[in-house]
Amino acid sequence: MYDYYLGGKDNFPADREAAERALTVVPEIRYSARSNRAFLRRTVDFVARTGIDQFLDVGAGLPTQNNVHQVAPGAKVVYVDNDPTVLVHGRAILGKNENVTIVEGDVRRPREILEHPDVRAALDFDRPIGVLLLAIMHFVPDEDDPSGILATFREAMVPGSHLVMSHVAIDARPAAADGVTKVYDRASSPFVARTGSEIIRLFDGFDVVEPGIVNLPEWRPDPRDAVPYKGIGSYFLGGVGVVNGDG
């Protein structure tokens, strides 16, 4: 669905059908998805400029526009997804790239991802790393302990590591949350509606860099990321957190 919102061609009929249902409820989803992709480009570029040259992108989905390895050429990148179809097509799309690894994993089981032999072979957890959780945590229900998931990743990250996260926020249009939830109820990963304050709490334990946890277009905007839709912000909040050396 995400690739379809972005205007890509690497999606399936079921994705397109579900995406069109979601768009009837919140037409601005397409704008928000594009804002999220632009946020990925800006944040990965920011993290790479700090000297980090290895990234773990969890819930990556099908390769589409401005992938991490394209934004940070030369960096080691591990893409993680739990959809076998995504894995097969992702490997075919990316081809052979010695800096890119694709593994099967579920964000709800972070320890399995962190201990995956291919992840360990590709990334050095004794050095700072960038962990990306973009548009994925709003598919994690409260019973799967999203705060605990973030804590598990944080504990595996040495000081200087960065977390990049974006999450749908329902504050702007709470009435639409039920309709979107019903669309995703038919998918393998149901949508979980959360408020901005709940999203901010997921960053607990990280030092959040300026400008904080904000509407995506407000995070260090770049004219190259201009999108045609006018009059609203993104329905995503996002930010970048850093692991400090205080424990």
Side-chain angles (χ1 to χ4, degrees):
M1 293 172 66
Y2 187 53
D3 181 74
Y4 180 73
Y5 293 141
L6 292 172
K9 298 179 180 179
D10 296 312
N11 47 69
F12 306 104
D15 297 325
R16 295 190 285 274
E17 180 182 348
E20 285 296 335
R21 290 199 304 270
L23 288 167
T24 63
V25 180
V26 184
E28 303 91 344
I29 288 178
R30 182 175 281 118
Y31 166 85
S32 294
R34 293 175 180 176
S35 293
N36 187 63
R37 203 64 184 179
F39 174 73
L40 179 150
R41 187 192 64 77
R42 297 195 306 276
T43 53
V44 169
D45 180 68
F46 167 80
V47 174
R49 288 177 185 276
T50 71
I52 289 176
D53 60 359
Q54 48 180 358
F55 293 85
L56 179 65
D57 186 356
V58 182
L62 281 170
T64 181
Q65 307 163 29
N66 288 326
N67 300 290
V68 178
H69 69 282
Q70 295 168 319
V71 179
K76 293 285 187 179
V77 181
V78 176
Y79 295 113
V80 181
D81 204 276
N82 67 347
D83 186 332
T85 304
V86 166
L87 299 172
V88 170
H89 285 265
R91 291 182 178 115
I93 292 168
L94 291 173
K96 294 183 178 180
N97 185 327
E98 63 181 12
N99 288 329
V100 176
T101 303
I102 302 177
V103 304
E104 183 174 3
D106 192 316
V107 70
R108 295 169 295 182
R109 297 188 293 277
R111 203 166 301 282
E112 292 182 13
I113 294 172
L114 294 167
E115 295 174 357
H116 194 291
D118 291 346
V119 174
R120 286 287 166 176
L123 305 177
D124 180 0
F125 284 87
D126 291 328
R127 298 193 300 111
I129 186 173
V131 174
L132 311 181
L133 297 173
L134 291 167
I136 183 66
M137 293 305 293
H138 47 246
F139 297 118
V140 177
D142 290 342
E143 54 265 32
D144 284 325
D145 189 15
S147 293
I149 291 170
L150 268 297
T152 299
F153 281 115
R154 187 177 66 249
E155 290 164 5
M157 300 160 70
V158 300
S161 296
H162 287 59
L163 167 77
V164 178
M165 182 166 61
S166 63
H167 192 302
V168 169
I170 63 168
D171 305 65
R173 284 186 62 183
D178 185 57
V180 175
T181 299
K182 288 179 179 177
V183 171
Y184 279 93
D185 280 345
R186 305 179 189 180
S188 58
S189 300
F191 170 76
V192 182
R194 291 193 174 98
T195 64
S197 60
E198 291 173 313
I199 295 165
I200 290 170
R201 285 198 293 272
L202 294 177
F203 282 88
D204 285 354
F206 293 90
D207 293 337
V208 178
V209 305
E210 293 295 334
I213 301 161
V214 296
N215 198 286
L216 298 191
E218 298 171 358
W219 200 94
R220 307 193 181 199
D222 185 325
R224 290 176 293 173
D225 295 334
V227 289
Y229 193 92
K230 304 295 183 182
I232 65 165
S234 167
Y235 289 114
F236 281 85
L237 291 181
V240 176
V242 181
V243 177
N244 64 39
D246 297 332

